[in-house]
């Protein structure tokens, strides 16, 4: 007889999206299990682009030279978004990135169960059971691939409240649920090689876009002395399986040496050779697709490559995948804790599918420019350097993740006006986008702190209260702040309306450090001595100040910025807007009063 077990959340797939999901849920106290078919973690290659080593911040462009070969035609900052806290990219192969999650999970007492594959998935049709977040409506049959003893049953049945399919572009979960991918396979064929190069190419440690008469190439500096080369191939170089739309590697005669030979032609007049063994390589066709839906009955979800595929050259694959489950973690946690209605989970598809569609639209334009022929005297219809540079800079905020904007009213029962009603109070901080970075000074000890570091993804909602200037003589503003504290802290107020632990308060004063003590604030607005900040410079005048200008807040008015557990701004209200806050949270949080 197969063994049986129950779990709150079963995660299928231990790539970056699945590991992000399992680690975040475990840290939130959720009973979670994660399985993977691989017997061990990725050793090299695949995705990269998170940490720990930064690469240079220049983006270099090379195009055909009139004298033959290629020449550098321009340089620009790799990260062009002005509000980027970290104005650079970082790279590390996927196996090392996964190891960071695995180590963190191990500290929490969670390991990946492997090698295991799912063989069946059944979802209850009982509507009452589906509506009850504490039920176990999903039955998943698992097969253990390493069961050694003959006669032992290698089958296991798991009953789960929720299932997350983070099992890649050829997702078993997606196919089992019958979810269709909308989009198309392009004609763009690319090879990828990770190696330590021996070269006289001067920009080998910069991210480079090369357009040559032989095809295009992209250089991504990697950890240590490694680089990754993306190399454009022609359709005569590879054999495509028409049934699957994938490269048939058995019939294709192109290997890593052949890829390097194509790269040599693209690099001319510069030279490039390998200094040692090639670390990893692959060949792929660019597919640009989005799943028609990201969940079934808000009980089984798909994330990452399972629900969107695109080219890797914009550096979005792994980042988009991890942000999928980052969006889902807190919502699932709230539902499991009984803090939020299960309808909150609908917002996962609303927000992340819209982002995926925007990503595909961006990728189509970027891939067409990158894969197109360069403009030369013989090819006037080709891609010009100016057109490629314009696209790179136009999409800069989106490609680095800063420009993600979740549309308002993603919660079905919420009227449109609620979230955006007071947007004018924070003219530079857009509702639906991530909280802007800025350095403030802590009132208690004048130490500078980056606000994003004080708003961790700990499943709590943050009420960032810009109280304005409440220094000496500011009687009217002091009275407004006192009234806000009373409204928040009364027995029927916002802070008592829902489960304890939903909210954290961070107060920011437009008063200089010489004129305010943190104890001048009402207790509700200083829950801990470390939670009061000043919009002032540090003791040496090196950092901080002008924060109210950064967020577009009038110091004479103030504002409350509501930051979601995933770091995005949910809504904005005036100091007198506690009723608006209650209306906002009542649409998805479960009241205790």
């Amino acid at each position: 007889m197969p063994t049986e077990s129950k779990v709150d959340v079963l995660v299928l797939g231990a790539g970056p999206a699945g590991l992000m999901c399992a680690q975040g849920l475990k840290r939130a106290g959720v009973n979670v299990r994660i399985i993977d078919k691989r017997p061990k973690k990725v050793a090299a290659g695949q995705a990269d682009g998170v940490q720990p080593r930064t690469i240079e911040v220049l983006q270099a462009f090379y195009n055909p030279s009139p004298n033959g070969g290629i020449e550098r035609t321009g340089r620009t900052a790799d990260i062009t978004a002005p509000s980027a806290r970290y104005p650079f990219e970082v790279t590390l192969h996927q196996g090392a990135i996964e190891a960071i999650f695995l180590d963190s999970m191990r500290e929490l007492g969670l390991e990946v169960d492997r090698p295991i594959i799912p063989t069946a998935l059944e979802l209850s049709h009982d509507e009452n059971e589906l509506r009850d977040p504490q039920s176990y409506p999903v039955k998943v049959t698992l097969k253990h691939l390493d069961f050694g003893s003959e006669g032992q049953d290698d089958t296991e049945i798991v009953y789960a409240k929720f299932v997350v399919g983070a099992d890649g572009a050829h997702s078993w979960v997606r196919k089992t649920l019958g979810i269709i991918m909308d989009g198309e396979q392009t004609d763009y064929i690319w090879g990828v090689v990770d190696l330590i190069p021996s070269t006289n190419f001067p920009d080998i440690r910069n991210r480079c876009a090369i357009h040559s008469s032989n095809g295009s190439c992209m250089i991504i500096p990697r950890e240590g002395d490694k680089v990754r080369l993306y190399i454009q191939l022609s359709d005569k170089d590879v054999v495509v399986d028409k049934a699957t739309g994938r490269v048939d590697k058995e019939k294709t005669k192109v290997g890593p040496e052949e890829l390097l030979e194509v790269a040599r032609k693209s690099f001319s007049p510069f030279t490039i050779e390998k200094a040692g063994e090639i670390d990893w390589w692959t060949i792929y066709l660019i597919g640009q697709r989005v799943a028609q839906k990201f969940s079934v009955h808000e009980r089984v979800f798909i994330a990452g490559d399972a629900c969107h595929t695109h080219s890797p050259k914009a550096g979005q694959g792994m980042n988009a995948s991890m942000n999928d489950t980052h969006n889902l973690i807190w919502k699932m946690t709230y539902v499991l804790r009984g803090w939020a209605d299960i309808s909150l989970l609908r917002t996962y598809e609303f927000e992340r599918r819209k982002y995926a569609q925007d990503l595909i639209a961006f990728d189509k334009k970027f891939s067409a420019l990158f894969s197109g022929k360069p403009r030369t005297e013989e090819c006037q219809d080709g891609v010009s350097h100016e057109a490629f540079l314009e696209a790179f800079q136009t999409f800069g905020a989106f490609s680095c993740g800063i420009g993600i904007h979740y549309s308002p009213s993603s919660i079905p029962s919420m009227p449109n006006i609620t979230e955006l009603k007071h947007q004018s109070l924070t003219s530079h901080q857009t509702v639906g986008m991530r909280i802007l970075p800025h350095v403030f000074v802590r009132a208690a000890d004048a130490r500078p702190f980056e606000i994003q570091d004080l708003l961790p993804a700990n499943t709590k909602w943050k009420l960032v209260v810009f109280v304005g200037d409440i220094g000496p003589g500011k009687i009217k503003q002091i009275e407004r702040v006192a009234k806000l504290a009373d409204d928040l802290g009364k027995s029927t107020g916002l802070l008592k309306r829902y489960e304890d632990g939903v909210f954290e308060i961070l107060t920011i004063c437009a008063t200089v450090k010489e004129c305010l003590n943190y104890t001048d604030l009402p207790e509700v607005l200083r829950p801990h001595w470390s939670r009061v900040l000043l919009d002032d410079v540090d003791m040496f005048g090196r950092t901080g100040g002008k924060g109210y200008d950064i967020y577009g807040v009038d110091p004479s008015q103030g504002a409350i910025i509501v930051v979601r557990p995933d770091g995005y701004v949910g809504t904005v209200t005036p100091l007198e807007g506690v009723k608006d806050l209650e209306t906002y949270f009542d649409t998805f949080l479960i009241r205790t009063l």
Side-chain angles (χ1 to χ4, degrees):
M1 290 289 292
T3 58
E4 296 187 357
S5 61
K6 288 185 175 182
V7 69
D8 285 352
V9 183
L10 176 64
V11 180
L12 304 178
L19 292 172
M20 166 73 85
C21 186
Q23 189 267 356
L25 290 171
K26 183 66 175 179
R27 190 168 294 280
V30 172
N31 178 17
V32 58
R33 183 181 178 189
I34 179 171
I35 69 164
D36 195 85
K37 66 181 180 181
R38 298 172 297 177
K40 57 184 179 180
K41 68 180 184 180
V42 171
Q46 296 194 23
D48 58 8
V50 176
Q51 59 181 344
R53 197 181 84 76
T54 64
I55 64 173
E56 289 82 353
V57 300
L58 288 175
Q59 165 81 35
F61 297 91
Y62 281 75
N63 283 282
S65 168
N67 301 317
I70 58 173
E71 64 179 0
R72 187 167 61 209
T73 54
R75 275 180 163 178
T76 187
D78 196 19
I79 302 299
T80 58
S83 67
R85 179 181 176 187
Y86 301 110
F88 47 78
E89 294 182 47
V90 293
T91 55
L92 188 63
H93 71 79
Q94 181 175 319
I97 293 165
E98 290 180 4
I100 295 170
F101 284 112
L102 292 168
D103 290 345
S104 176
M105 286 164 48
R106 193 168 294 118
E107 293 177 358
L108 298 170
L110 179 64
E111 298 277 357
V112 178
D113 291 338
R114 55 172 107 224
I116 300 174
I117 60 171
T119 59
L121 187 153
E122 301 173 39
L123 185 59
S124 172
H125 298 292
D126 186 326
E127 292 188 7
N128 291 327
E129 188 176 11
L130 291 172
R131 282 196 296 265
D132 178 7
Q134 301 309 318
S135 68
Y136 295 84
V138 192
K139 176 183 176 182
V140 183
T141 304
L142 304 177
K143 180 180 176 63
H144 292 253
L145 301 179
D146 62 350
F147 252 54
S149 303
E150 291 188 13
Q152 280 190 300
D153 195 333
D154 60 0
T155 303
E156 178 187 0
I157 295 175
V158 178
Y159 295 93
K161 295 177 181 177
F162 300 98
V163 170
V164 179
D167 50 344
H170 304 283
S171 169
W172 176 89
V173 175
R174 185 189 70 234
K175 293 174 182 177
T176 300
L177 295 173
I179 297 175
I180 297 172
M181 295 286 278
D182 289 332
E184 59 191 17
Q185 192 90 336
T186 71
D187 296 327
Y188 307 138
I189 306 170
W190 288 78
V192 188
V193 178
D194 286 349
L195 76 162
I196 296 176
S198 173
T199 182
N200 63 352
F201 186 72
D203 285 305
I204 196 66
R205 296 309 301 173
N206 293 314
R207 181 183 175 192
C208 288
I210 297 175
H211 278 95
S212 79
S213 298
N214 187 64
S216 297
C217 182
M218 178 174 278
I219 303 171
I220 305 291
R222 294 285 303 275
E223 64 273 14
D225 294 332
K226 293 179 186 176
V227 300
R228 170 167 290 186
L229 302 180
Y230 287 98
I231 303 159
Q232 185 179 8
L233 303 174
S234 67
D235 53 8
K236 66 181 180 180
D237 295 322
V238 300
V239 177
V240 178
D241 186 325
K242 293 183 179 179
T244 64
R246 303 175 69 182
V247 173
D248 189 331
K249 291 187 178 180
E250 292 186 2
K251 296 181 180 179
T252 296
K253 303 305 180 183
V254 175
E257 295 296 338
E258 289 76 15
L259 291 176
L260 191 55
E261 178 59 31
V262 176
R264 292 189 189 103
K265 296 176 181 178
S266 297
F267 271 70
S268 176
F270 304 100
T271 62
I272 184 167
E273 302 292 340
K274 60 178 181 177
E277 296 298 316
I278 287 176
D279 195 42
W280 181 80
W281 72 279
T282 192
I283 301 172
Y284 65 92
L285 275 77
I286 295 177
Q288 295 162 328
R289 299 186 177 93
V290 179
Q292 287 186 352
K293 54 184 177 180
F294 283 19
S295 73
V296 175
H297 295 301
E298 284 71 55
R299 288 298 191 157
V300 183
F301 300 83
I302 53 175
D305 289 351
C307 52
H308 45 72
T309 61
H310 43 84
S311 82
K313 289 180 292 300
Q316 291 302 295
M318 182 169 55
N319 295 283
S321 296
M322 291 190 293
N323 276 289
D324 282 346
T325 48
H326 180 58
N327 180 284
L328 184 59
I329 289 166
W330 70 269
K331 298 172 182 177
M332 197 171 278
T333 298
Y334 269 53
V335 171
L336 286 167
R337 288 177 180 172
W339 290 6
D341 188 82
I342 197 169
S343 62
L344 176 64
L345 294 173
R346 298 176 196 167
T347 66
Y348 167 68
E349 178 177 311
F350 181 94
E351 293 178 340
R352 295 307 296 174
R353 189 168 187 273
K354 174 62 167 61
Y355 165 75
Q357 290 171 321
D358 292 344
L359 174 58
I360 296 302
F362 156 71
D363 188 59
K364 284 182 177 179
K365 182 170 185 178
F366 194 73
S367 294
L369 287 170
F370 205 93
S371 300
K373 292 182 179 180
R375 179 177 294 178
T376 62
E377 290 184 4
E378 295 79 18
C379 181
Q380 290 297 310
D381 294 333
V383 178
S384 68
H385 167 67
E386 291 75 18
F388 191 87
L389 180 61
E390 180 184 5
F392 179 82
Q393 294 177 332
T394 299
F395 291 107
F398 184 84
S399 63
C400 67
I402 288 172
I404 295 175
H405 184 187
Y406 293 143
S407 300
S409 304
S410 57
I411 299 167
S413 60
M414 184 180 297
N416 286 340
I417 197 169
T418 302
E419 291 173 276
L420 301 179
K421 181 179 178 181
H422 303 292
Q423 174 66 88
S424 62
L425 294 176
T426 58
S427 57
H428 298 156
Q429 173 64 72
T430 304
V431 171
M433 299 186 74
R434 103 303 189 201
I435 186 75
L436 292 169
H438 191 68
V439 173
F440 292 94
V441 172
R442 193 162 63 187
D445 57 6
R447 286 183 59 189
F449 283 88
E450 165 57 57
I451 189 172
Q452 290 184 344
D453 294 338
L454 301 177
L455 306 173
N458 59 0
T459 73
K460 294 178 182 290
W461 286 80
K462 284 64 171 194
L463 305 181
V464 183
V465 186
F466 287 78
V467 295
D469 187 356
I470 54 171
K474 305 293 183 179
I475 304 301
K476 183 178 179 180
Q477 194 67 8
I478 292 172
E479 290 175 348
R480 292 180 68 216
V481 171
K483 178 64 165 57
L484 168 64
D486 289 341
D487 291 343
L488 289 172
K490 63 185 179 182
S491 60
T492 58
L494 182 75
L495 302 182
K496 305 290 179 62
R497 195 180 185 91
Y498 313 102
E499 288 287 348
D500 186 37
V502 169
F503 299 112
E504 284 185 350
I505 291 179
L506 184 68
T507 301
I508 302 177
C509 308
T511 310
V512 296
K513 50 186 171 291
E514 292 82 5
C515 298
L516 185 77
N517 297 312
Y518 82 92
T519 52
D520 295 340
L521 273 296
E523 288 188 15
V524 168
L525 298 177
R526 53 176 174 91
H528 188 266
W529 62 266
S530 64
R531 306 298 291 176
V532 179
L533 305 179
L534 304 176
D535 186 15
D536 196 6
V537 296
D538 68 359
M539 296 298 292
F540 303 99
R542 295 179 298 197
T543 188
K546 298 184 179 180
Y548 273 64
D549 292 339
I550 291 293
Y551 297 92
V553 178
D554 183 345
S556 69
Q557 295 298 316
I560 302 172
I561 297 179
V562 176
V563 182
R564 301 175 1 165
D566 58 2
Y568 287 82
V569 174
T571 190
V572 172
T573 72
L575 299 186
E576 293 80 12
V578 173
K579 287 294 183 183
D580 287 331
L581 291 178
E582 292 172 354
T583 299
Y584 175 78
F585 286 109
D586 279 351
T587 58
F588 57 93
L589 292 185
I590 295 174
R591 293 177 57 175
T592 57
L593 292 179

